Amino acid sequence: MSFPLSHLDNYKIILASQSPRRKELLSNMGLKFEVRVIKNLDESYPPDLDVLQVAEFLANKKAEAYKPTLNANELIITADTVVICDGNILEKPENRQDAFRMIHNLSGKTHQVITGVSVQTKKQHLCFSSETNVCFDKLSTEEINYYIEHYKPYDKAGAYGIQEWIGHIGVCGIEGSYFNVMGLPVQKLYQTLKEIKH
């Protein structure tokens, strides 16, 4: 039996992200790929842009930055994940105090995680976004401090990783893709890759 995405065999697949979570998830899809990263990429967005559209906007903005470097046999995947709580985007925390503020804000509430994804070849450009609702139980100051101290979530939007300790003890409900919260909605990405012409 051939691999269901064997029509991509003629492409060199590139993941435009250094995220270890995205690398792990893409590997688990059974894909062979290499990582290519442009340093100091502009990740700004218009201040009046609807927060629900920011992730897809940034995924496409990243795709545009890579477009000039793309060869005919290459397929590049760009992605961006945003955490939205009370209508506001929670970026990556700047320091411990900022991380505490973010997690404390998520405590006892349901928030949204949206990942925008762009899949691009020389001939095709497909994009989508996926939204997941995540409900956190009420977290104590001790629990928040323990997580920050042991997991140092400074590279994560919203200051947490659902696959880490805080996800195990704090997440009491989830609606949508779990992997989307990790940074890559792999089921939706798989369906999109099936649409790539060979």
Side-chain angles (χ1 to χ4, degrees), residues 10-197:
N10 294 329
Y11 285 107
K12 177 196 279 186
I13 298 173
I14 298 157
L15 174 63
S17 173
Q18 286 184 310
S19 161
R21 275 84 54 189
R22 290 198 182 116
K23 285 189 245 183
E24 177 191 348
L25 291 170
L26 203 58
S27 292
N28 289 345
M29 286 178 69
L31 295 173
K32 293 177 182 174
F33 61 93
E34 66 177 51
V35 172
R36 185 183 298 172
V37 177
I38 296 176
K39 290 182 178 177
N40 303 317
L41 205 61
D42 176 22
E43 295 191 27
S44 62
Y45 53 87
D48 58 345
L49 186 65
D50 187 324
V51 291
L52 301 177
Q53 298 174 349
V54 168
E56 193 168 329
F57 174 88
L58 290 175
N60 282 324
K61 189 174 186 179
K62 291 175 184 178
E64 281 299 310
Y66 283 90
K67 198 172 184 177
T69 70
L70 208 57
N71 295 321
N73 69 328
E74 292 179 331
L75 179 152
I76 193 158
I77 299 166
T78 57
D80 194 88
T81 301
V82 299
V83 175
I84 303 166
C85 185
D86 298 329
N88 299 308
I89 291 178
L90 302 184
E91 311 279 359
K92 294 173 183 175
E94 295 177 5
N95 50 42
R96 186 191 177 104
Q97 186 179 359
D98 200 26
F100 185 94
R101 176 189 63 81
M102 287 186 188
I103 300 172
H104 186 265
N105 194 31
L106 295 172
S107 172
K109 295 179 185 173
T110 297
H111 65 275
Q112 292 73 45
V113 179
I114 300 178
T115 299
V117 180
S118 166
V119 177
Q120 183 174 235
T121 67
K122 276 288 190 186
K123 294 180 179 178
Q124 271 184 286
H125 182 201
L126 303 174
C127 58
F128 65 89
S129 60
S130 179
E131 181 177 340
T132 303
N133 292 319
V134 182
C135 178
F136 261 103
D137 208 346
K138 199 75 179 163
L139 298 166
S140 68
T141 298
E142 182 185 21
E143 288 164 341
I144 297 172
N145 281 328
Y146 175 86
Y147 174 67
I148 294 170
E149 178 68 31
H150 287 84
Y151 291 88
K152 298 179 172 43
Y154 304 114
D155 65 333
K156 297 175 177 70
Y160 82 95
I162 195 169
Q163 73 281 4
E164 295 177 340
W165 181 81
I166 200 163
H168 294 291
I169 67 99
V171 173
C172 55
I174 183 168
E175 182 186 347
S177 167
Y178 171 85
F179 299 113
N180 183 49
V181 186
M182 283 180 66
L184 201 62
V186 284
Q187 189 272 337
K188 211 164 181 178
L189 174 58
Y190 176 80
Q191 296 300 327
T192 301
L193 289 171
K194 284 165 72 173
E195 296 177 32
I196 294 291
K197 295 180 176 64

